[in-house]
Amino acid sequence: MGERMDNHSAIQTTGSQWLLPVSEYWGFPLALVNFLACQLFALSSAFWFRLYLSRQHSSPLARHAVATLLGVTLIIFCFGWYGMRILHTTLTHLNCKEVQMYSMVVAMGYLIVCHVSRVFIFKYGILSTDFSGPLMVVTQKITSLAFQLHDGKKTLTMHMDTHVHIIARPSLIEYLSYNLNFLSVLVGPFNNYKDYIDFIEGTHISGSLRIILFSSCVLCPSPPQNAVCQKLLVCCGCMIFFLIVTQSLPIEYNVNPHFVSHAPFITRLIYALFSIQAARIKFYFAWTLGDAISNAAGFGFSGMDENGKASWSLLSNLNVVGVETATSFKAFIDNWNIQTGNWLKTVCYDRVPRHRLVLTFILSALWHGVYPGYYFTFLTGILMTLAARAVRKSFRPYFLGSSRLKLGYDILTWASTQMAICYTVMPFLLLATESTMVYYRSMYFHMHIFGILATIVLYPKLTSKVPSAATRAPSTQCLSVHRNNNDKTH
């Protein structure tokens, strides 16, 4: 029995086996135990990094070196020899001439190869804590750095964010530190290179804060302890919810043959909604913990809010309230996986001349992996986005005349948004084609039918009302560009 347990655990992780007794005692997969242990170590190291390796006590070179060494240590502990793939993809892009195109093609190509190997090696039995997660974050950083370096040397269009552009190539230690630092190497969050360098060099506060002088006094932000404690409390709540609720509402039950064949449609619909809501908790936990780790090191200050309090939301990957109260498909997307959305907007949406929405969704699907469920989700997401735009622009103006009508509209759109998100995201969690088709058949493809009808009937009316480019005034064209830029997709 012991030998079988060891073999089983070895299959679930290529990393360290030191915590195998903990895994066996609590019944959690060893890879998950290693991940949690490394994140707790990163959290404690982040406090030490801020207090004892601050810019006042050490040089940027020392901070870069320590952040990199700790990050590589976490990679080796969690993934063992598989971590070499993360190191390899980082080192591949050091000496490239056409930096932005080379990095995008090679980094995404290598990531897709690794995703394919996951499918054939692990046969769908893959945990969210495998090596591809850090590889996805590194891919984001490599490609964004390449485009920011490219933009720093070119004439920029007016809608691009100039504060992140880079003029000089990073040194080797700066490059490795940005990609492999212990703060974000395992689960993110993704951040811009310039923000990270400002943090290491100790200029991130002055860069984000408008310093206000009162005689000889300077208003400085308070330390991040409050923000870290709040985010750790959220993590504790998510863990309790996961253990009590999420595990009692397994996603796989949505395609259980007995449940699908015997439960009424309304029962299946309600269970799908609740199981999807419960499944979000693991993402809330991982992203909030990653954000807290960066804040504990003093990274993530975004300025002062309207009440004069320090805000540590620069790296936040989600807005839980915004996600749970979203009244449109776009509002949900804008508050979910925010940093990945910023990456997609920067490297794809703002750059392609046409078919922005489709190409951005396709890039997002390729970045996530090669499981069929991902492509069902993102292709359905394109349809849902187009349908939601058409419905919102066609009907919302009629409900703005009174507060009661607006409230009723908000309640109706909140419920429909939650159903659309549930329907769209379910294949992302089911992964396999067979399971996805079982679920869609059990739902009678109702959202696909509604989306197609709404797009066919309403979208031509909207596009026919838009004036041609030749007849627009210059100011109208500028506003149109700005609106398109705000239609961010993830």
Side-chain angles (χ1 to χ4, degrees):
M1 176 65 73
E3 184 178 353
R4 284 200 300 270
M5 282 295 295
D6 288 346
N7 291 338
H8 179 65
S9 299
I11 292 173
Q12 298 205 34
T13 181
T14 57
S16 172
Q17 303 273 326
W18 290 356
L19 298 178
L20 183 58
V22 179
S23 172
E24 294 173 343
Y25 180 81
W26 290 103
F28 291 122
L30 180 55
L32 180 59
V33 173
N34 284 348
F35 169 77
L36 292 175
C38 285
Q39 287 296 79
L40 292 177
F41 174 79
L43 179 64
S44 59
S45 299
F47 282 111
W48 170 82
F49 193 85
R50 179 171 62 84
L51 296 175
Y52 298 103
L53 207 68
S54 65
R55 182 64 184 90
Q56 291 75 20
H57 298 95
S58 56
S59 66
L61 179 61
R63 285 163 63 83
H64 277 305
V66 171
T68 304
L69 289 174
L70 289 176
V72 172
T73 300
L74 295 183
I75 291 173
I76 295 173
F77 186 89
C78 270
F79 311 112
W81 62 272
Y82 257 78
M84 293 303 298
R85 297 193 176 197
I86 302 168
L87 302 178
H88 178 263
T89 194
T90 302
L91 296 171
T92 303
H93 300 78
L94 287 176
N95 297 309
C96 47
K97 295 180 180 179
E98 295 297 329
V99 63
Q100 75 282 1
M101 295 308 299
Y102 175 92
S103 295
M104 176 60 77
V105 172
V106 175
M108 283 299 301
Y110 188 80
L111 178 63
I112 292 170
V113 169
C114 291
H115 280 316
V116 170
S117 71
R118 287 177 62 206
V119 176
F120 286 101
I121 292 174
F122 292 101
K123 306 293 185 183
Y124 288 86
I126 193 67
L127 298 167
S128 60
T129 52
D130 75 305
F131 72 94
S132 65
L135 190 59
M136 292 162 69
V137 177
V138 168
T139 299
Q140 287 180 321
K141 291 183 177 181
I142 288 172
T143 53
S144 67
L145 174 59
F147 277 105
Q148 289 162 12
L149 184 60
H150 171 74
D151 293 342
K153 300 178 180 179
K154 299 292 182 180
T155 301
L156 306 174
T157 59
M158 63 182 176
H159 64 273
M160 287 187 177
D161 191 358
T162 57
H163 91 277
V164 300
H165 296 148
I166 306 163
I167 304 301
R169 281 175 174 266
S171 65
L172 175 61
I173 188 62
E174 290 172 338
Y175 178 80
L176 294 177
S177 177
Y178 171 61
N179 284 290
L180 303 175
N181 70 83
F182 73 100
L183 301 174
S184 59
V185 70
L186 292 184
V187 73
F190 161 75
N191 55 271
N192 290 311
Y193 172 80
K194 194 172 186 302
D195 290 331
Y196 178 74
I197 294 299
D198 288 344
F199 157 68
I200 291 293
E201 295 180 350
T203 61
H204 59 298
I205 299 295
S206 60
S208 301
L209 180 66
R210 289 184 178 180
I211 300 177
I212 304 175
L213 295 176
F214 292 98
S215 63
S216 60
C217 299
V218 180
L219 293 182
C220 294
S222 58
Q225 282 90 331
N226 290 338
V228 174
C229 289
Q230 291 173 3
K231 291 171 183 179
L232 292 180
L233 285 175
V234 171
C235 291
C236 292
C238 290
M239 182 173 292
I240 294 172
F241 188 95
F242 176 82
L243 295 174
I244 297 175
V245 179
T246 303
Q247 291 192 324
S248 65
L249 295 171
I251 286 292
E252 295 77 12
Y253 194 67
N254 285 283
V255 294
N256 179 278
H258 184 269
F259 179 69
V260 170
S261 59
H262 290 83
F265 173 75
I266 189 64
T267 302
R268 286 181 269 123
L269 183 61
I270 292 174
Y271 182 85
L273 285 168
F274 278 100
S275 61
I276 284 290
Q277 294 272 33
R280 293 176 192 164
I281 296 299
K282 62 183 180 182
F283 298 100
Y284 290 175
F285 173 84
W287 290 339
T288 304
L289 180 56
D291 191 9
I293 291 170
S294 292
N295 290 167
F299 187 25
F301 177 71
S302 56
M304 309 297 283
D305 62 19
E306 62 276 7
N307 299 318
K309 295 182 179 179
S311 175
W312 293 86
S313 59
L314 178 67
L315 306 177
S316 294
N317 223 1
L318 79 159
N319 179 349
V320 175
V321 175
V323 166
E324 298 296 342
T325 62
T327 58
S328 69
F329 206 84
K330 180 183 181 297
F332 184 96
I333 290 174
D334 286 345
N335 290 285
W336 176 266
N337 207 354
I338 296 170
Q339 302 306 325
T340 293
N342 292 337
W343 172 70
L344 290 169
K345 183 174 181 293
T346 300
V347 303
C348 183
Y349 192 86
D350 284 344
R351 298 179 187 276
V352 295
R354 60 185 65 182
H355 308 303
R356 291 179 168 184
L357 180 69
V358 174
L359 292 175
T360 303
F361 270 101
I362 291 175
L363 175 60
S364 183
L366 291 170
W367 177 76
H368 278 89
V370 295
Y371 288 123
Y374 296 165
Y375 295 86
F376 280 107
T377 286
F378 288 105
L379 291 175
T380 303
I382 296 172
L383 176 62
M384 293 296 104
T385 301
L386 294 175
R389 286 180 182 177
V391 172
R392 180 179 177 85
K393 292 180 180 179
S394 297
F395 294 105
R396 188 172 183 271
Y398 298 105
F399 292 88
L400 301 179
S402 70
S403 58
R404 290 185 178 182
L405 284 176
K406 179 63 166 56
L407 178 61
Y409 175 82
D410 288 340
I411 293 174
L412 180 62
T413 52
W414 172 82
S416 60
T417 296
Q418 296 303 317
M419 288 191 292
I421 292 296
C422 171
Y423 185 90
T424 303
V425 170
M426 187 66 74
F428 190 94
L429 301 176
L430 294 173
L431 298 179
T433 302
E434 298 80 6
S435 299
T436 297
M437 296 310 298
V438 168
Y439 171 73
Y440 277 157
R441 283 195 294 267
S442 73
M443 294 289 108
Y444 307 114
F445 295 92
H446 68 283
M447 279 294 177
H448 279 105
I449 295 172
F450 167 78
I452 292 171
L453 290 177
T455 303
I456 292 175
V457 174
L458 299 177
Y459 223 84
K461 296 180 181 179
L462 295 177
T463 54
S464 64
K465 296 178 183 179
V466 178
S468 64
T471 61
R472 288 181 191 160
S475 59
T476 305
Q477 294 183 34
C478 293
L479 290 174
S480 176
V481 170
H482 181 69
R483 282 197 299 270
N484 288 338
N485 184 43
N486 286 336
D487 289 335
K488 179 177 60 176
T489 57
H490 295 219

